[in-house]
Amino acid sequence: MRSLILQVMTRGLTPLLLLFSVYLLLRGHNSPGGGFAGGLIASSVLVLFALVFGVQETRKALRVSPLSLLVSGLAIAVLSGLVGWFEGGDFLQAWWYGREVEIIHHFGTPLLFDLGVYLTVLGAMLTMVLTLIEEA
Amino acid sequence: MLVMALLIGGLIAAGLYLMLRRSVAKLIFGIVLVGHAVNLIVFSSGGLLHAGSPVVEEGRKTLVHPHPDPLPQALVLTAIVIGFSVQAFAIVLIKRAHQAAETDDFDRMDTTERDG
Amino acid sequence: MNSASLVLTLPVVIPLATAILTLALREHRAAQRTASVTGWTGLLGVAIWLLIEVQDAGAIAVQLGGWPAPYGITFVADRLSALMVLVSAAMGLAVGLYSLAGLSPEREHHGHHTLFHVLLMGVNGSFLTGDLFNLYVWFEVMLIASFVLVTLGGRRGQLEGGLKYMTLNLLGSMIFLASVGFLYSQTGTLNMAHLHVVLDESGGGTLLLTISVLLLIAFGIKAAVFPLFMWLPTSYHTPPTAVSAIFAGLLTKVGVYALIRAFTLIFTFDVGWTHSLLLWLAGLTMASGVLGAMVQGSVRRILSFHIVSQIGYMVMGLALYTLAGLAGAVFYIIHHIVVKTNLFLIGGLIARVCGSAELSRVGGLIRKRPLLAGLFLIPGLSLAGIPPLSGFWAKFAVIKASLEVDAWVIAAVALAVGLWTLFSMMKIWSEAFWKPDPEDERCVPVPMDLASRVLGYGPVIALALVTIAIGLYPAWLADHAAASAVQLLEPDDYLRAVLGEALR
């Protein structure tokens, strides 16, 4: 799609929206938001990017393949679950570390899990949509 | 509650009608509609009321009464995500089947019914 | 970390970790295969551990994330779950090893191994979960993996069969989800043990009976019970052998397992009504499956219809709702999984040797491949129920249980279906193996190298040995089945494990 307005807007909005998706990811444990919502927003931003600048350009801008994002997301989520075992609790049990900070409240395994979800959603969405755009 | 019931009934009726058509493209719309109806069933299973969100507010330990049941909302969120991924797969599968069989007619997709 | 938590979660975590690993290693075929084999073996090890643990300690449970039942998600294993996990892990290993020889490299590159492990994860999760909504989630995990496994490769038959498979199973899932919603609005809980307690106190009612029938329909679609089985024979013969073998062995049995759980733990308030409905369905399933098989002309299609008829025996054991009946059903499930998986693998070997599994295009295998012929006879006769193989004891247990409660009609149907099964097996035997083929016009055997011969025949021989072992020493499995049946009928142990003493 060659529309100047769309191109300029997308260029400006992409970093802002990605930042917003990360904000949602970080505040997600105790307030509305979270890894899934954040991941969906990030992937819709990148889908917009792909529609405007083409799939090739998007893959180049991403540097890593969507499938690798998916793999690392899943791996992080599983690892966050394993922490519970090593600390002597159950699988996926939440463990918290450090002191309270703004937005995030606490560092802990739920945040790690959410990061995994974020990457998984992003990777899965991009794998699907980019393939569909390429085929069409 | 009545509105919800009618809506669910309407969605299921329309969805099943579409699923029973011979066209494969209508099948996917049918699946989507019935999927929405089922999500609404789960959503309303905890009862419907006009009240705030079931999120513990800043500085409180428990929810403010009256509040809706949070569990169906968590369930429906999961169900929506699952439904979403299944529907995405269904669309791709239907597209591929349509290309391979060169027909939109379910009745002519019968190579697996025959021997040979 | 405590051992109950470990042993209950690992059957799900190991396949998940392996799936991630194989996906990460998708560019390196050898490494991917090594990871896969490690995953299958590890899973089998954990499954044996789980069975020993359950044997010693009775039912064990773990609350994921440390949230107590009935609010959190519970994983729980009694003897039935542990046996099912063990058998599915064993089938995973056997079929997995078999698949290493027969798969095309593209298929492996496109994620066959990953999906296979995700499928095993879904199956194990379904066996272990103690929560109805969580069961729905595991069903979906399993289904999505199976959809892709059926259609991966994209030949026309696969896509068409896959489309029908997907549509009916999606409909089943939606009915399942809707009934979960209704059940929650009626009882306020979805934890199966808690449901048992709540329904015990409040009793049933017409609305709950309706919900139970909705769930029966949903699980019936998954289990391929009459009249909801038509998706099975149209799709099971289309994907590669390794895939249809694991489907044939495990997927419908997950449906049967769900039926057993639902109709022993949750819906027991009107046994006279629900379980006689089940008995009718069992008889019709047996008969329609075996009659469907009689007119088929391809090995895998015949076997697909036989899955349906065998499901009938398991449902029959459940429907009798006696100790002997349930024990028979459990015995039957285990026997059936082993035998059916093996038969599909043999069907695949016939196709690999002759290039086709159509009965009209093969023949004379008794001379060309005497070992294969012998190997077919073991599970084939076992399926028909010839002593001293495992199928005889399984059929014997179920039919004896039906005679104990004077259910003559169903016993007669079961016996007749056994005869027809023998007829079908003999049809495959005489067409594929016995029929002379002196001119080599039907089947010119394709030579196989040593590696694919070992990987192809090894699992088949191992499964045949299991069949013989169960046949000669049925006591071990029979004891386990009886102990599972006791736990199913008197779920005190299960309830204590999940809910603790407080809620009961």
Side-chain angles (χ1 to χ4, degrees):
Chain A
M1 224 184 296
R2 293 276 159 252
S3 152
L4 185 63
I5 299 177
L6 210 54
Q7 283 190 357
V8 173
M9 288 296 289
T10 308
R11 227 177 255 290
L13 275 177
T14 303
L16 272 179
L17 284 172
L18 282 178
L19 199 65
F20 180 61
S21 76
V22 175
Y23 169 70
L24 276 187
L25 161 70
L26 293 180
R27 76 195 287 267
H29 186 64
N30 273 331
S31 343
F36 187 76
L40 270 187
I41 289 185
S43 49
S44 26
V45 177
L46 289 171
V47 168
L48 176 69
F49 193 88
L51 284 174
V52 175
F53 294 103
V55 175
Q56 288 281 316
E57 202 66 20
T58 318
R59 287 195 196 275
K60 224 187 291 169
L62 264 178
R63 288 198 177 83
V64 286
S65 81
L67 261 183
S68 319
L69 283 177
L70 200 153
V71 172
S72 47
L74 282 174
I76 290 173
V78 173
L79 288 179
S80 81
L82 294 182
V83 174
W85 271 342
F86 291 119
E87 297 275 2
D90 284 327
F91 185 63
L92 282 175
Q93 194 164 348
W95 294 90
W96 303 100
Y97 305 94
R99 54 189 190 79
E100 197 143 327
V101 282
E102 271 302 300
I103 303 176
I104 307 174
H105 295 299
H106 281 291
F107 288 104
T109 51
L111 182 64
L112 204 60
F113 185 80
D114 255 359
L115 178 66
V117 173
Y118 179 91
L119 289 175
T120 310
V121 170
L122 183 58
M125 283 293 296
L126 285 181
T127 314
M128 284 192 299
V129 177
L130 293 188
T131 320
L132 276 177
I133 297 179
E134 268 173 340
E135 272 189 13
Chain B
M1 218 47 184
L2 181 69
V3 177
M4 195 62 122
L6 288 175
L7 180 63
I8 292 171
L11 278 173
I12 289 188
L16 284 182
Y17 172 70
L18 286 172
M19 284 174 92
L20 291 172
R21 299 286 295 268
R22 274 164 63 178
S23 155
V24 190
K26 294 190 176 101
L27 174 71
I28 181 71
F29 289 109
I31 292 176
V32 172
L33 287 187
V34 178
H36 285 326
V38 170
N39 286 342
L40 284 176
I41 290 176
V42 176
F43 178 71
S44 48
S45 67
L48 299 171
L49 62 149
H50 289 281
S53 61
V55 173
V56 182
E57 284 170 25
E58 199 85 47
R60 282 173 174 275
K61 287 281 177 216
T62 52
L63 288 169
V64 191
H65 273 282
H67 65 83
D69 188 347
L71 190 72
Q73 302 199 0
L75 297 186
V76 83
L77 203 59
T78 317
I80 288 172
V81 174
I82 293 176
F84 164 74
S85 59
V86 172
Q87 284 159 15
F89 175 77
I91 291 174
V92 176
L93 177 61
I94 284 173
K95 180 165 169 266
R96 290 275 159 83
H98 177 71
Q99 281 168 349
E102 290 164 354
T103 173
D104 187 38
D105 188 345
F106 229 138
D107 281 2
R108 278 195 276 159
M109 293 194 174
D110 58 352
T111 48
T112 61
E113 314 289 339
R114 292 181 239 133
D115 284 334
Chain C
M1 58 191 103
N2 67 57
S3 69
S5 157
L6 212 55
V7 78
L8 276 172
T9 331
L10 275 179
V12 173
V13 174
I14 288 179
L16 176 60
T18 321
I20 298 170
L21 209 60
T22 50
L23 190 60
L25 295 170
R26 65 191 177 283
E27 303 299 337
H28 314 278
R29 190 155 172 236
Q32 198 186 31
R33 289 174 153 214
T34 317
S36 257
V37 175
T38 319
W40 291 318
T41 324
L43 185 59
L44 187 58
V46 172
I48 294 172
W49 180 20
L50 177 67
L51 188 66
I52 294 171
E53 194 92 350
V54 170
Q55 219 171 339
D56 292 347
I60 46 175
V62 55
Q63 320 294 341
L64 286 190
W67 300 97
Y71 308 106
I73 292 172
T74 310
F75 265 30
V76 49
D78 57 0
R79 288 209 183 208
L80 175 62
S81 314
L83 263 180
M84 298 298 282
V85 169
L86 176 63
V87 177
S88 61
M91 292 310 115
L93 181 63
V95 176
L97 287 178
Y98 178 94
S99 75
L100 291 182
L103 284 178
S104 65
E106 299 109 68
R107 205 181 155 84
E108 286 187 70
H109 184 248
H110 281 114
H112 171 86
H113 287 296
T114 308
L115 291 162
F116 195 94
H117 288 288
V118 173
L119 186 77
L120 283 180
M121 172 173 83
V123 170
N124 286 339
S126 312
F127 290 149
L128 288 175
T129 185
D131 181 284
L132 213 52
F133 187 79
N134 197 235
L135 182 65
Y136 164 75
V137 175
W138 289 121
F139 265 23
E140 293 299 292
V141 167
M142 189 174 89
L143 280 179
I144 292 176
S146 69
F147 291 160
V148 188
L149 280 173
V150 166
T151 51
L152 199 65
R155 284 183 301 105
R156 179 172 173 186
Q158 282 185 311
L159 292 170
E160 290 178 358
L163 195 58
K164 291 163 192 170
Y165 174 68
M166 183 195 74
T167 309
L168 274 169
N169 275 289
L170 273 187
L171 200 62
S173 299
M174 291 195 263
I175 296 172
F176 184 8
L177 185 57
S179 38
V180 165
F182 291 139
L183 198 57
Y184 182 76
S185 66
Q186 286 301 305
T187 60
T189 180
L190 289 174
N191 183 302
M192 290 196 264
H194 196 208
L195 273 172
H196 177 90
V197 175
V198 169
L199 290 180
D200 226 23
E201 277 164 14
S202 70
T206 326
L207 216 49
L208 280 163
L209 212 56
T210 317
I211 297 172
S212 79
V213 174
L214 268 179
L215 271 180
L216 173 62
I217 295 172
F219 294 152
I221 291 181
K222 316 275 174 190
V225 169
F226 177 87
L228 309 161
F229 61 81
M230 278 323 292
W231 56 271
L232 192 147
T234 68
S235 61
Y236 266 27
H237 61 105
T238 55
T241 311
V243 174
S244 48
I246 199 82
F247 280 20
L250 296 182
L251 291 198
T252 46
K253 259 56 78 186
V254 179
V256 176
Y257 170 85
L259 276 177
I260 292 183
R261 272 276 175 263
F263 287 92
T264 58
L265 195 59
I266 307 175
F267 302 111
T268 50
F269 47 81
D270 194 355
V271 176
W273 198 87
T274 46
H275 288 63
S276 29
L277 178 64
L278 278 171
L279 201 61
W280 273 97
L281 290 178
L284 289 167
T285 309
M286 278 188 254
S288 52
V290 85
L291 292 176
M294 289 173 85
V295 297
Q296 299 300 323
S298 139
V299 178
R300 285 212 268 170
R301 285 182 61 93
I302 293 178
L303 294 177
S304 299
F305 271 102
H306 274 295
I307 300 177
V308 176
S309 89
Q310 307 282 314
I311 295 289
Y313 286 95
M314 303 165 204
V315 178
M316 171 180 156
L318 165 65
L320 294 171
Y321 200 59
T322 59
L323 215 55
L326 280 168
V330 174
F331 195 113
Y332 210 106
I333 293 177
I334 306 295
H335 138 77
H336 177 78
I337 291 178
V338 175
V339 165
K340 202 56 166 202
T341 310
N342 204 6
L343 280 172
F344 266 83
L345 292 182
I346 292 169
L349 280 178
I350 295 179
R352 226 188 263 176
V353 169
C354 291
S356 167
E358 292 294 320
L359 287 180
S360 55
R361 280 188 229 148
V362 296
L365 278 170
I366 183 91
R367 273 172 195 285
K368 291 165 189 159
R369 291 286 183 274
L371 177 62
L372 187 59
L375 284 174
F376 169 78
L377 270 188
I378 295 167
L381 293 179
S382 176
L383 190 75
I386 303 292
L389 296 161
S390 62
F392 168 72
W393 300 107
K395 281 206 171 62
F396 179 71
V398 178
I399 292 173
K400 183 161 168 274
S402 69
L403 291 179
E404 274 169 13
V405 292
D406 292 331
W408 299 100
V409 180
I410 196 82
V413 172
L415 281 171
V417 168
L419 274 180
W420 277 323
T421 311
L422 186 62
F423 166 80
S424 275
M425 289 304 119
M426 283 306 108
K427 182 167 146 192
I428 299 182
W429 169 254
S430 62
E431 292 284 319
F433 297 98
W434 201 249
K435 184 174 62 187
D437 182 22
E439 315 276 300
D440 276 345
E441 59 197 12
R442 288 169 176 275
C443 168
V444 187
V446 186
M448 288 194 271
D449 57 25
L450 184 67
S452 60
R453 220 179 293 163
V454 169
L455 286 173
Y457 281 92
V460 172
I461 294 173
L463 292 182
L465 288 178
V466 173
T467 311
I468 296 176
I470 298 178
L472 294 180
Y473 305 102
W476 183 83
L477 185 56
D479 286 349
H480 263 281
S484 324
V486 171
Q487 279 182 335
L488 286 172
L489 277 182
E490 314 265 323
D492 283 350
D493 206 18
Y494 187 95
L495 300 183
R496 193 176 313 115
V498 177
L499 300 172
E501 292 297 336
L503 266 162
R504 289 179 57 240

